[in-house]
Amino acid sequence: MAVRYTESLDGVTADMLAGFFEGWLVPPSPQRHLRILRGSTYVVLAVDDAQGRVVGFINAITDACNSAFIPLLEVLPAYRRQSIARELVARMLQKLADYPCIDLTCDTALQGFYEKFGMRRATAMIVREYSRPGPRGAGS
Ligand SMILES: CC(C)(COP(=O)(O)OP(=O)(O)OC[C@H]1O[C@@H](n2cnc3c(N)ncnc32)[C@H](O)[C@@H]1OP(=O)(O)O)[C@@H](O)C(=O)NCCC(=O)NCCS
């Protein structure tokens, strides 16, 4: 399963984004997923052109000055354990290399994975209210 990496959303449609948000209580629809990607400062996608689908993605939002946040990283189950996430993270951290602060939240099981990129463990505070619609205009 050959995979191509891209930072562009050109030609990416919602139907290429099926299958993500595994295990989420309220998974965003593929249409909302596309809006998430379009609203991000940076994205890196892993694309399987033969299947016509996105098989992995990472996004980042920034203040264009000091701080960057990586909200999401996911690889479709059938494509895992092939170092796709490793490549996505490496490429995104390269994009963010000038930012003094780069934050993300993750399960403790994945802290060792991120440490391989030189990231440090920290604590975090979060809100997760998936019944909220998003800001006006974001849609469902
Ligand atoms: C976590 C996830 C992105 C890894 O994707 P992947 O393409 O299979 O990862 P890679 O093949 O690049 O593996 C990178 C390293 O992470 C480790 N790893 C992968 N998945 C892991 C997991 N669930 N728990 C702990 N370690 C994991 C691998 O062992 C590998 O290290 P190694 O090669 O030294 O053994 C994928 O399992 C996923 O999408 N999970 C659901 C969403 C999620 O948890 N996202 C993370 C949000 S912070």
Side-chain angles (χ1 to χ4, degrees), residues 5 75 79-89 113:
Y5 295 92
V75 174
Y79 291 80
R80 289 182 189 165
R81 300 285 170 173
Q82 299 170 43
S83 298
I84 293 175
R86 186 189 300 243
E87 187 67 26
L88 291 171
V89 172
F113 169 62

